[in-house]
């Protein structure tokens, strides 16, 4: 496929995922405003924060978790299950996040949090989650609907960041959000459809991933969520298999698995995500790992974060991965927007009593 033909790209993208991606900076601006202007009453003095959600609605929780690791005095945990961990109680702040508002695991975890007397907030476009929050007097942040949950990462994540700040769990993230928005505006000129493949990293990566299996390596505490995000976006947008792992853990197991089956390993396209805040020993690990396994896999490409703040750096990498996953879908002749298997599974589950 000619990735430089806007006409071909638009034809192959009837759901308009490229347009939604282009608007991510504006989405982030609006999402931050929604979070900073939301009207709610919550106590202070939490011992921990839990974000409960699934898929595209959970990844924002992971972004929050990693952000908070170096910034907040309390831990943030992400729950992707029907039940919450035993520690959840009245001193826990639980964000129930579901774009549709109808994800059964999230609704179940919502009920669980209520039963345990946790302080709660719901973030959703509507659905049963909004209904329950209204019924129960739980603070509710309504975000705009009409796009895929995974394309709504700004809406799903930034309101929780703003609320964390407003209840005193984090310092002012406003300057980081402003930097992120500006950086993404700059980056879309480089990554967007109008930017030719010979200078467009996302198109180049899609070309590398085509007919291969992307394996994304991030690092604990910095790029781990981004690695997971790239994998998820390739799965859902490109309908293609992809994997991720994190340094330093992968140096203690996965690295050993690069011997067999030797011929098939050549089909792996490895990405090393790097960030200036990676631990110096992790930086060394990236280099050493490249030297040890470089010959065994298809190729290794390093993609470095851009920007100053932690938030901008994470989003700079997310943007590259999001665009690459959409271009890869289009190369495969796949409409990036529908996720028929997720829909079919949810439908079967709802029929399955
Ligand atoms: C679909 C997507 C999925 C959903 C997940 C949970 O675009 O990203 O991963 O996010 O199935 O659904 P919601 O977000 O509606 O709770």
């Amino acid at each position: 496929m000619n990735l430089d033909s806007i006409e071909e790209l638009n034809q192959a993208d009837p759901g308009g995922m490229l347009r939604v991606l282009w608007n991510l900076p504006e989405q982030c601006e609006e999402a931050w405003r929604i979070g900073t202007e939301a009207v709610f009453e919550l106590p202070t003095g939490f011992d921990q924060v839990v974000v409960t959600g699934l898929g595209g609605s959970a990844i924002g929780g992971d972004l929050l978790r990693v952000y908070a690791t170096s910034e907040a005095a309390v831990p943030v945990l992400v729950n992707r299950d029907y039940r919450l961990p035993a520690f959840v109680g009245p001193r826990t702040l639980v964000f129930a996040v579901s774009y549709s508002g109808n994800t059964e695991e999230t609704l179940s975890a919502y009920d669980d949090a209520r039963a345990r007397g946790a302080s709660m907030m719901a973030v959703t476009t509507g659905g049963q989650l909004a209904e329950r929050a209204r019924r129960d007097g739980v603070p509710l942040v309504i975000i705009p609907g009409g796009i895929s949950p995974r394309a709504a990462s700004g809406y799903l994540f930034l309101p929780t960041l703003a609320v964390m700040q407003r209840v005193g769990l984090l310092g002012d993230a406003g300057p980081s959000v402003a930097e992120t928005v500006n950086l993404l505006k700059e980056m879309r000129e480089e990554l967007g459809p109008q930017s030719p493949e010979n200078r467009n990293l996302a198109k180049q990566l899609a070309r590398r991933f085509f007919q291969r299996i992307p394996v994304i390596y991030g690092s604990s505490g910095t790029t781990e969520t981004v690695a997971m995000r790239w994998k998820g976006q390739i799965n859902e947008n490109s309908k293609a298999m992809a994997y991720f792992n994190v340094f330093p853990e992968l140096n203690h197991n996965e690295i050993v698995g690069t011997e067999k089956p030797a011929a098939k390993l050549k089909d792996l396209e490895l990405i090393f995500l790097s960030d200036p805040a990676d631990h110096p020993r992790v930086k060394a690990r990236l280099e050493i790992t490249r030297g040890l396994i470089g010959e065994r896999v298809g190729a290794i490409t390093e993609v470095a974060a851009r920007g100053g703040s932690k938030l901008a750096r994470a989003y700079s990498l997310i943007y590259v991965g999001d665009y690459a996953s959409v271009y890869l879908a289009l190369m495969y002749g796949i409409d990036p927007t529908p996720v028929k298997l997720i829909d079919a599974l949810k439908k079967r589950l709802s029929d399955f009593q």
Side-chain angles (χ1 to χ4, degrees):
M1 167 174 216
N2 177 6
L3 287 174
D4 291 342
S5 159
I6 305 284
E7 206 189 320
E8 268 186 60
L9 291 176
N10 286 340
Q11 242 169 32
D13 178 28
M17 191 62 92
L18 282 170
R19 183 182 36 78
V20 178
L21 253 188
W22 180 268
N23 290 331
L24 183 64
E26 286 78 12
Q27 179 188 135
C28 288
E29 262 169 331
E30 192 189 353
W32 181 248
R33 192 181 46 69
I34 291 172
T36 49
E37 291 177 1
V39 179
F40 60 84
E41 270 177 48
L42 279 174
T44 50
F46 298 109
D47 288 342
Q48 63 279 122
V49 176
V50 173
V51 182
T52 192
L54 276 296
S57 291
I59 200 83
D62 274 306
L63 288 167
L64 186 70
R65 175 177 63 78
V66 173
Y67 186 90
T69 304
S70 58
E71 310 278 331
V74 299
V76 175
L77 185 128
V78 183
N79 185 70
R80 292 180 162 86
D81 197 4
Y82 289 85
R83 284 180 289 243
L84 294 166
F87 67 75
V88 171
R91 291 183 60 81
T92 313
L93 172 60
V94 175
F95 289 106
V97 185
S98 168
Y99 191 75
S100 62
N102 292 323
T103 298
E104 66 171 41
E105 299 95 313
T106 313
L107 291 168
S108 160
Y110 171 96
D111 291 343
D112 195 10
R114 283 271 304 155
R116 291 163 196 231
S119 287
M120 296 177 65
M121 173 169 274
V123 180
T124 182
T125 60
Q128 291 181 54
L129 184 58
E131 273 172 35
R132 286 186 202 190
R134 286 195 186 103
R135 177 194 70 194
D136 301 334
V138 162
L140 173 63
V141 173
I142 293 285
I143 53 173
I147 55 178
S148 303
R150 61 190 181 283
S153 69
Y155 289 137
L156 292 162
F157 163 47
L158 292 172
T160 63
L161 187 68
V163 171
M164 288 278 284
Q165 173 182 319
R166 290 176 62 190
V167 298
L169 292 172
L170 283 175
D172 183 8
S176 300
V177 174
E179 190 210 351
T180 303
V181 168
N182 288 335
L183 180 61
L184 294 183
K185 283 183 180 164
E186 196 182 306
M187 287 183 72
R188 70 184 171 189
E189 301 294 337
E190 301 160 24
L191 303 171
Q194 78 303 329
S195 165
E197 187 171 341
N198 59 11
R199 339 188 215 107
N200 187 323
L201 176 61
K203 290 182 180 176
Q204 290 163 9
L205 288 171
R207 184 81 57 197
R208 284 183 170 280
F209 291 157
F210 187 64
Q211 302 299 3
R212 300 204 180 87
I213 297 178
V215 177
I216 320 299
Y217 288 169
S219 296
S220 290
T222 55
T223 54
E224 56 177 277
T225 303
V226 179
M228 189 199 286
R229 167 77 177 181
W230 278 46
K231 174 224 184 295
Q233 289 293 79
I234 294 167
N235 295 152
E236 291 191 60
N237 287 337
S238 330
K239 282 76 181 172
M241 198 43 84
Y243 297 92
F244 85 100
N245 208 333
V246 286
F247 288 100
E249 175 64 19
L250 73 89
N251 278 166
H252 300 272
N253 34 61
E254 187 157 315
I255 188 176
V256 190
T258 54
E259 278 191 46
K260 301 286 179 211
K264 297 226 163 42
L265 288 165
K266 292 284 178 200
D267 289 334
L268 300 184
E269 192 66 33
L270 264 63
I271 300 293
F272 286 8
L273 301 174
S274 69
D275 184 281
D278 287 335
H279 192 284
R281 301 296 290 166
V282 164
K283 289 189 209 283
R285 284 175 183 274
L286 257 67
E287 277 325 298
I288 295 168
T289 303
R290 181 200 286 275
L292 289 172
I293 68 169
E295 298 289 294
R296 298 177 178 183
V297 297
I300 300 177
T301 308
E302 186 172 328
V303 182
R306 287 164 57 174
S309 64
K310 194 168 177 170
L311 188 69
R313 297 200 311 269
Y315 255 103
S316 75
L317 288 173
I318 286 177
Y319 217 23
V320 175
D322 281 8
Y323 263 115
S325 69
V326 176
Y327 292 131
L328 179 60
L330 304 181
M331 290 185 74
Y332 279 129
I334 292 220
D335 181 354
T337 302
V339 278
K340 289 191 189 127
L341 278 182
I342 296 181
D343 298 340
L345 190 126
K346 287 181 178 176
K347 168 89 184 55
R348 284 196 195 186
L349 262 174
S350 68
D351 297 343
F352 192 93
Q353 293 309 333

